[in-house]
Amino acid sequence: MNNFTFFTEFILLGLSANCHIQTLLFVLFLGIYLLTLMGNLVMILVIRGDSHLHIPMYFFLGHLSFLDICFSSITMPKMLQNFLSQKKSISVWGCITQSFFFLLSGCAEASLLSAMAYDRYAAICHALLYTMVMNKPLRMVMVSAAWVMGFLNSLVNNLFIHKLHFCGSNIISHFCCELPSLFPLSCTDPTANKFLLSGSSAFLGLLTLPLILFSYSRIISAILNIHSSEGQAKAFSTCSSHLTMVLLFYGAALFRYISPASGSVLEPVVSIQYSVVTSLLNPLIYSLKNQEVKAALQRMLRQ
């Protein structure tokens, strides 16, 4: 270890080394970030301000919007800064801190999407008892559990990364500090860290995916038992937005964290999918496909 030169900062290569392309990417991602902030803030304000939306579904949706603001704000300000900067550096401690909050937010969102799937199951399969089944204490426990699971998962993985020593190359072929991108830069063996990350991600998936699969299997069964096509369409519309976000988020996130890092150019693209695109699309999908949100937004604008 005495023959290695240790460093105090990483260089984030980002999405392109071409100056002109970086300028275009800055404009593109600045627009995405502003739309993400605006869309999710509007969703939170509409849900809090309209009494018609004070039901369990929108309680979870409000927390999802807050989480999406946090998720996108962890990486995008630094990414935007690097698009315009010659020195695209981040300190080692800053990088580890970013990876901690990135993993925390991602795991919390996965857990929250699972809770929302159960909420959709209760709304469709137990419509008359919906507000009793999804009572306030249960909702608070489910949201708190999502944050706790995210925190513990991130804490365990980031505590163990302190056992790694970074030396040699300090160049990260990514736009942010994700743990899979840090492991190849370690001059100590990161095998245990890789297994821990894959194992904890798989464990989180085993905790959250069964609830999603159970909820949607019951939802599909209930929808198929509805005799009118109009009733089936109405029932499916109440959960189609959530199902879309589950497929977009889980598909990309599980691929990124369970499969071994390969250094492929697709890895940053996959990360953008679940950390940037889903945060942008959540308020758009839920508002465009939801008549109650549209009506609440119109009432707010008329005031």
Side-chain angles (χ1 to χ4, degrees), residues 57-77:
M57 172 183 172
Y58 297 104
F59 172 83
F60 290 111
L61 186 53
H63 280 275
L64 181 64
S65 292
F66 174 75
L67 189 51
D68 282 332
I69 291 173
C70 297
F71 205 2
S72 59
S73 296
I74 291 166
T75 57
M76 291 197 70

Side-chain angles (χ1 to χ4, degrees), residues 45-294:
L45 291 174
V46 169
I47 291 171
R48 288 182 63 87
D50 195 299
S51 59
H52 296 86
L53 302 183
H54 291 176
I55 58 175
M57 172 183 172
Y58 297 104
F59 172 83
F60 290 111
L61 186 53
H63 280 275
L64 181 64
S65 292
F66 174 75
L67 189 51
D68 282 332
I69 291 173
C70 297
F71 205 2
S72 59
S73 296
I74 291 166
T75 57
M76 291 197 70
K78 184 63 179 176
M79 180 170 63
L80 291 171
Q81 178 191 347
N82 286 344
F83 282 140
L84 301 179
S85 174
Q86 292 293 325
K87 188 180 181 183
K88 307 176 190 304
S89 62
I90 182 171
S91 69
V92 171
W93 281 105
C95 194
I96 293 174
T97 301
Q98 187 184 69
S99 71
F100 173 82
F101 286 105
F102 188 91
L103 189 57
L104 188 159
S105 299
C107 294
E109 182 148 343
S111 303
L112 187 59
L113 287 172
S114 178
M116 292 174 72
Y118 183 78
D119 170 73
R120 293 298 80 214
Y121 155 73
I124 293 174
C125 298
H126 303 284
L128 297 178
L129 301 174
Y130 174 49
T131 54
M132 294 178 62
V133 172
M134 298 303 298
N135 54 71
K136 187 174 181 179
L138 178 61
R139 298 198 304 268
M140 294 299 297
V141 167
M142 295 176 85
V143 169
S144 300
W147 283 102
V148 169
M149 287 175 66
F151 175 78
L152 292 178
N153 193 315
S154 183
L155 181 65
V156 169
N157 280 283
N158 280 275
L159 281 177
F160 275 83
I161 204 172
H162 288 287
K163 296 182 178 295
L164 300 181
H165 298 279
F166 298 100
C167 56
S169 174
N170 66 337
I171 297 175
I172 301 175
S173 301
H174 209 316
F175 64 88
C176 69
C177 293
E178 280 193 272
L179 290 181
S181 299
L182 297 181
F183 295 152
L185 306 182
S186 173
C187 51
T188 50
D189 186 11
T191 302
N193 298 77
K194 291 178 180 179
F195 276 119
L196 177 62
L197 181 62
S198 297
S200 61
S201 300
F203 179 70
L204 181 68
L206 289 174
L207 286 179
T208 56
L209 280 175
L211 184 57
I212 293 174
L213 295 175
F214 164 78
S215 299
Y216 275 101
S217 65
R218 299 298 298 271
I219 287 170
I220 292 170
S221 176
I223 290 175
L224 292 177
N225 287 329
I226 299 174
H227 299 294
S228 68
S229 57
E230 182 182 349
Q232 288 182 340
K234 185 177 180 181
F236 181 74
S237 68
T238 64
C239 60
S240 59
S241 299
H242 176 262
L243 183 58
T244 301
M245 299 318 302
V246 167
L247 293 174
L248 287 174
F249 183 86
Y250 266 87
L254 288 177
F255 171 80
R256 179 75 172 107
Y257 279 87
I258 291 181
S259 61
S262 62
S264 168
V265 293
L266 288 177
E267 290 179 352
V269 176
V270 172
S271 296
I272 288 173
Q273 165 66 47
Y274 62 80
S275 65
V276 176
V277 175
T278 55
S279 297
L280 171 68
L281 292 181
N282 271 337
L284 294 177
I285 290 178
Y286 278 103
S287 60
L288 292 176
K289 298 187 70 174
N290 192 305
Q291 296 300 323
E292 291 177 327
V293 173
K294 287 182 182 178

